[in-house]
Amino acid sequence: MTVFWLVWDGAAAWVTDELLSRGHLPHLAQVRAEGWGGALEPSRPSCQTPPGLATLFTGTAPARHGVTGFWVPGAPDGDLTRSARGFTPGV
């Protein structure tokens, strides 16, 4: 099975719905017509992109996956006295 993610970061569901209703997003309308799509509630407590995408991709909450923002405690080598970007490989 192949999964494709189409993430429109920063676009509220109501904005997308309005653009669809006006006919401005014909390709997305086709995807929706085939039964695919839906709104994602922002992750809590941080609604930044990294924890939101980590939650979406893993199906777990930020408290479990550990991505709390653009910078998270720890480095790829495990040193918790440093921080790293949330999507740095190995973090």
Side-chain angles (χ1 to χ4, degrees):
M1 171 193 278
T2 301
V3 176
F4 294 96
W5 293 99
L6 174 62
V7 178
W8 190 346
D9 188 22
W14 71 268
V15 173
T16 303
D17 292 340
E18 179 67 23
L19 291 171
L20 284 166
S21 72
R22 293 181 183 196
H24 294 302
L25 303 171
H27 299 292
L28 184 58
Q30 182 179 354
V31 170
R32 284 263 183 104
E34 293 174 9
W36 300 97
L40 174 68
E41 183 158 337
S43 57
R44 294 184 181 116
S46 173
C47 63
Q48 294 179 10
T49 299
L53 291 180
T55 296
L56 178 66
F57 297 155
T58 66
T60 60
R64 180 167 174 105
H65 60 61
V67 178
T68 57
F70 286 94
W71 290 91
V72 297
D77 62 7
D79 182 356
L80 294 178
T81 64
R82 300 186 340 215
S83 60
R85 292 191 182 271
F87 284 102
T88 298
V91 173

